[in-house]
Amino acid sequence: MEASIWTERMLAALENGVKGGTWFSLIDKVARQRTLEIAWQKVAANKGAAGVDGQSIERFGYKASAYLEELSESLKSGTYRPQPVKRVEIPKGPGKTRPLGIPVVKDRIVQTALKLVIEPIFEKEFEETSFGFRPGRGCKSALREVDRLIKNGCTHVVDADLASYFDTIAHDRLMALVETRISDGRVLDLIHGYLKQDIISELKRWTPIGGTPQGAVISPLLANLYLHPLDRLMRSKGYRMVRYADDFVVMCPSPETAQSALAVINAWVAANGLTLHPDKTHVGDCTVPGQGFEFLGYRFEAGRRWVRRKSLNALRDRIRTKTRRTRGNSLKHIIEDLNPMLRGWFGYFKHANSNEFKSVDGFIRRRLRSVLRKQQKRPGMGQCRKDHTRWPNAFFAERGLFTMTEAHALASQSRC
């Protein structure tokens, strides 16, 4: 919580409850100049592309003070209106894309201010089983909980996948959930306005009838709120669910419990306008080969934790992009470009099976040898053995290439 937004009086009300259970008079906190300044700092730090108005973070920054004052006045007077969202398609695996909405900078600032004000109200009630897009929580916390439950014998897993979740959230049901805790009409109008923002994609323009725009600052909070009743239902029935946004698993001690949990999920999903993906939802015993499950980039199967194939392929694609044979940079520059990405990837997947790190290291060195061969105009066929002799593994280590196998060994020694 931001101390300048959430005063001692508000914190006391949050702790002890407010009259009637709902919060009034929140718009003044959103519109306050200081709140907007904090929101602008967060938006600027996240960078991001320009929206439909073409205004970049840099351009906004030149007159930030004046723009924030204008935003404050328009929010107070009730004249603020969100602008349309620019839709772009970003890659999502081979031949696939995912739609992403890009609001204009001003709308990102107001959404961030709104989130700063209302998030603590809902955070107070969210379940411990929810880990995605929440303060102080994240993927690693969720993965630790999955590991703990498996070790405690909950090896029968419901691996559930909601089809097009963000696009199928029902606006009326979502707003009803918001209204259980917020009664400020102006704040409710703001949220509803963001749900109904026009979308512009090239020459097309339309108003969504459902869903929350992916890319909007406020969307993760609203998406968590929509699934909060499911979290609460599963806890009340004694099921051990671990959820990260719309990705969740239910860890059970027996196949019968798992099938029962899946039936409860199916009923709730159908009643709330959502759909389980029939091909991606299954029940299995993760100790049995072939019955494992995937969660947050990992595959859990037969007592091991692997990097899932899709995550491994995505890394290899990124490595290929940075190690193209036609790239004109020096080896030193390429290694400097690779290392931050490799360190970040290893930092997340360091608990995976160690054999995969050896495979990735070998792939990277082969790519770099190919680059060197091209730069030295050497023939390309049948050169693998000569390449390995000419540029051995130590050659790349001496030039600072991050090696996952070595990093894993060092991490293992530290744990010991």
Side-chain angles (χ1 to χ4, degrees), residues 100-113:
L100 180 68
I102 304 176
V104 300
V105 176
K106 288 183 180 180
D107 288 345
R108 301 208 294 264
I109 293 169
V110 177
Q111 284 191 34
T112 304

Side-chain angles (χ1 to χ4, degrees), residues 181-254:
R181 289 292 174 262
I182 296 176
S183 295
D184 188 320
R186 299 264 292 281
V187 167
L188 294 175
D189 287 344
L190 268 183
I191 297 172
H192 192 261
Y194 289 129
L195 294 176
K196 292 295 185 181
Q197 274 179 287
D198 277 4
I199 298 172
I200 294 179
S201 179
E202 296 180 346
L203 299 178
K204 297 178 181 178
R205 178 171 178 156
W206 70 94
T207 303
I209 59 174
T212 61
Q214 295 191 54
V217 177
I218 200 72
S219 284
L221 174 60
L222 297 178
N224 271 334
L225 178 60
Y226 199 80
L227 289 177
H228 173 58
L230 175 62
D231 296 339
R232 193 169 51 196
L233 174 66
M234 298 301 283
R235 178 184 56 78
S236 70
K237 291 184 174 293
Y239 297 118
R240 297 175 178 180
M241 185 165 78
V242 181
R243 182 173 68 80
Y244 189 96
D246 60 328
D247 194 1
F248 61 91
V249 291
V250 185
M251 317 296 292
C252 304
S254 69

